[in-house]
Amino acid sequence: MAEYFKDIPKVQFEGTSSHNPLAFRHYNPDEIVLGKSMKDHLRLAACYWHNFCWDGADVFGAGTFDRPWLKPGDAMQRAKEKADVAFEFFSKLNIPYYCFHDVDVSPEGNSIKEYINNFAQMTDVLEAKQEETGLKLLWGTANLFSNPRYASGAASSPNPEVFTYGATQVMHAMNATKRLGGENYVLWGGREGYETLLNTDLRQEREQLGRFMNMVVEHKHKIGFKGLLLIEPKPQEPTKHQYDYDTATVYGFLKQYGLENEFKVNIEANHATLAGHSFQHEVATAISLGLFGSIDANRGDAQLGWDTDQFPNSVEELTLVIYEMLKAGGFTSGGFNFDTKLRRQSSDPQDMFIAHIGGMDHLAMGLKKAAQMIESDFLGQAVSKRYAGWNGDLGKGIQGGDFTLESLSKLCIDKNLQPKHVSGQQELLENKVNNVLYG
């Protein structure tokens, strides 16, 4: 189709003195931070679904966006038009990666054979678009939650035929992801959970999920996919309760089925807060468990109890998250994907650019602030000092298994230990963080 964003030039870095809303003020992809370019630190991606598959409709009203590629017509032709617009946007935004679900880019059709044929054709289109633009695929995935067949879940469905249909979608989505050079493959169990325990067999459904994930691993190795397999935790919505509630829950599931060395997590900020955690907590937990993979960068609304998928704008929150990442070495194959959507009232084509530019700038600011915290190391020093006793003879002996409860009790009595509380100095550290953030 004709150039949709024809009045918008490619977004460039103009610096903090710029007042151009269609330019980066902080995100300079080539700027070196801690020995690595900003582009390589952040590994930014934009999503296909919210940007190009949603017309601005909600449960109370019709779509507010004018999206010609979503209007009635030949489904495959519309999918190709959508790809034209998507890659025009990605290229002009100057973002290096994108992400998609299978049915974002391809019509489902009226049968599994039509789905496979349509998806194969659109994989050809995506491959050509990537070669033309230089854009890369951060990750692909399959949508196993939108179609009515998945009302009771996919892998956890009480119907093995639904399980089979979902497995078919995942196989083809994995194959396409490998062919397109995707660096990860994501599994989000959108409806893998329950609405009521009155009709649910928890053990049965978890066993089905475990078998499904083992099949995914088997197929990964069969086709030689070298990327990471990622599970995306979420506590509820659309189901009342989901089996991938948070990172710690996912780790327990993986351990139960012997998959802890095969999967990592794709953490979404808004999912973390819905689970009652901070974004920083989920990232730090994933790192501590060896599960950190990738991030869906967005935010929720503290006054709303659902997943609003707003663009990230808290530099403080992003700084603390990136600080945790930098301590652990940063991304390997993962990145920051904007799983974000415009507000329904933001209906101008340039709003899509402005929203992403803001998110990219906020992440860049967070990166630079986190780098300052790494370089000054005041948090690292405070933590090391607080746990210094565990590097002494007693701490090493306990951790090394040199004591039983009985022998430890004897030592405590013999030495007449009377440990005193030592301040954690939380407020001091909070002040120091704010000094970095705000000067």
Side-chain angles (χ1 to χ4, degrees):
M1 68 188 302
E3 190 178 8
Y4 183 73
F5 300 106
K6 59 181 179 298
D7 297 326
I8 299 175
K10 187 168 184 175
V11 181
Q12 302 291 345
F13 171 73
E14 293 184 3
T16 56
S17 62
S18 174
H19 297 287
N20 179 6
L22 291 172
F24 299 122
R25 300 180 74 248
H26 298 276
Y27 177 65
N28 179 358
D30 298 321
E31 180 178 345
I32 301 300
V33 179
L34 298 180
K36 186 189 296 186
S37 72
M38 192 173 282
K39 178 181 177 181
D40 290 339
H41 271 299
L42 298 176
R43 295 170 57 85
L44 298 167
C47 75
Y48 222 95
W49 50 99
H50 290 316
N51 291 316
F52 306 105
C53 302
W54 182 51
D55 65 358
D58 66 16
V59 294
F60 298 106
T64 57
F65 304 154
D66 179 19
R67 304 290 193 244
W69 58 90
L70 296 181
K71 296 185 184 302
D74 178 83
M76 283 299 292
Q77 182 58 36
R78 288 292 187 239
K80 292 173 184 176
E81 292 172 355
K82 187 196 301 183
D84 289 341
V85 176
F87 278 81
E88 178 193 350
F89 172 76
F90 298 145
S91 296
K92 287 189 171 182
L93 183 60
N94 203 10
I95 201 164
Y97 291 97
Y98 75 110
C99 301
F100 70 82
H101 299 85
D102 52 353
V103 297
D104 297 339
V105 299
S106 174
E108 283 196 77
N110 296 312
S111 69
I112 192 64
K113 290 182 179 179
E114 282 190 23
Y115 161 83
I116 293 170
N117 181 59
N118 291 345
F119 193 26
Q121 290 185 55
M122 287 309 301
T123 301
D124 291 341
V125 171
L126 295 179
E127 186 174 50
K129 291 288 185 184
Q130 288 183 202
E131 291 176 359
E132 176 188 341
T133 62
L135 202 74
K136 298 177 183 178
L137 179 62
L138 186 66
W139 52 258
T141 187
N143 180 327
L144 305 187
F145 49 88
S146 292
N147 192 290
R149 77 174 66 89
Y150 298 123
S152 297
S156 63
S157 172
N159 184 345
E161 292 183 357
V162 173
F163 182 108
T164 301
Y165 203 106
T168 303
Q169 278 189 244
V170 168
M171 187 193 81
H172 286 277
M174 290 180 71
N175 291 350
T177 298
K178 178 180 182 292
R179 178 179 163 190
L180 294 170
E183 300 191 19
N184 310 271
Y185 185 84
V186 169
L187 296 110
W188 178 55
R191 297 189 188 274
E192 311 295 15
Y194 64 80
E195 299 289 355
T196 175
L197 287 173
L198 298 179
N199 64 5
T200 300
D201 185 332
L202 288 175
R203 183 185 297 276
Q204 172 70 25
E205 293 195 358
R206 285 179 62 86
E207 289 294 324
Q208 291 172 206
L209 275 167
R211 181 65 195 123
F212 194 94
M213 295 305 178
N214 269 288
M215 292 166 70
V216 168
V217 170
E218 291 163 6
H219 189 67
K220 170 189 171 174
H221 295 304
K222 179 178 180 180
I223 65 175
F225 178 57
K226 301 302 182 184
L228 290 179
L229 295 175
L230 304 174
I231 292 177
E232 183 171 325
K234 189 177 184 182
Q236 68 270 327
E237 190 207 30
T239 63
K240 175 181 177 180
H241 175 85
Q242 292 187 205
Y243 297 123
D244 50 5
Y245 190 92
D246 60 7
T247 296
T249 304
V250 169
Y251 182 70
F253 168 82
L254 294 175
K255 288 288 286 186
Q256 180 180 0
Y257 294 100
L259 296 167
E260 66 273 18
N261 296 320
E262 299 287 354
F263 286 89
K264 296 191 184 297
V265 287
N266 181 54
I267 295 168
E268 180 171 321
N270 205 169
H271 294 180
T273 52
L274 287 173
H277 305 309
S278 69
F279 186 13
Q280 181 188 10
H281 166 89
E282 280 292 272
V283 171
T285 298
I287 290 169
S288 72
L289 294 172
L291 285 186
F292 180 68
S294 196
I295 287 177
D296 276 2
N298 58 21
R299 80 179 198 273
D301 189 310
Q303 294 175 303
L304 298 174
W306 60 88
D307 194 359
T308 56
D309 286 328
Q310 293 170 252
F311 284 82
N313 66 1
S314 171
V315 175
E316 176 182 358
E317 179 178 59
L318 296 173
T319 297
L320 295 175
V321 165
I322 296 173
Y323 171 76
E324 297 292 342
M325 291 170 46
L326 292 178
K327 283 196 304 178
F331 289 122
T332 54
S333 65
F336 280 108
N337 169 52
F338 289 109
D339 184 359
T340 45
K341 60 184 179 183
L342 294 171
R343 297 306 88 193
R344 192 166 171 265
Q345 298 174 56
S346 300
S347 53
D348 292 340
Q350 73 170 8
D351 288 331
M352 195 184 298
F353 282 91
I354 291 169
H356 283 83
I357 289 167
M360 294 165 79
D361 268 347
H362 298 143
L363 279 165
M365 293 167 72
L367 172 63
K368 289 186 282 189
K369 297 295 184 181
Q372 290 180 41
M373 290 167 56
I374 290 289
E375 289 175 324
S376 63
D377 199 34
F378 63 89
L379 289 179
Q381 291 171 13
V383 171
S384 294
K385 182 179 178 181
R386 190 173 184 222
Y387 292 90
W390 289 94
N391 292 318
D393 291 340
L394 177 59
K396 288 181 177 178
I398 294 171
Q399 290 288 81
D402 297 340
F403 292 98
T404 64
L405 280 180
E406 185 177 2
S407 63
L408 203 57
S409 174
K410 183 178 185 305
L411 182 147
C412 185
I413 295 167
D414 290 347
K415 290 187 175 293
N416 191 28
L417 295 183
Q418 298 184 55
K420 307 294 183 185
H421 172 69
V422 177
S423 175
Q425 298 186 313
Q426 178 176 332
E427 294 77 12
L428 173 63
L429 298 178
E430 290 170 342
N431 292 348
K432 287 186 174 184
V433 168
N434 278 338
N435 287 338
V436 172
L437 290 169
Y438 308 111

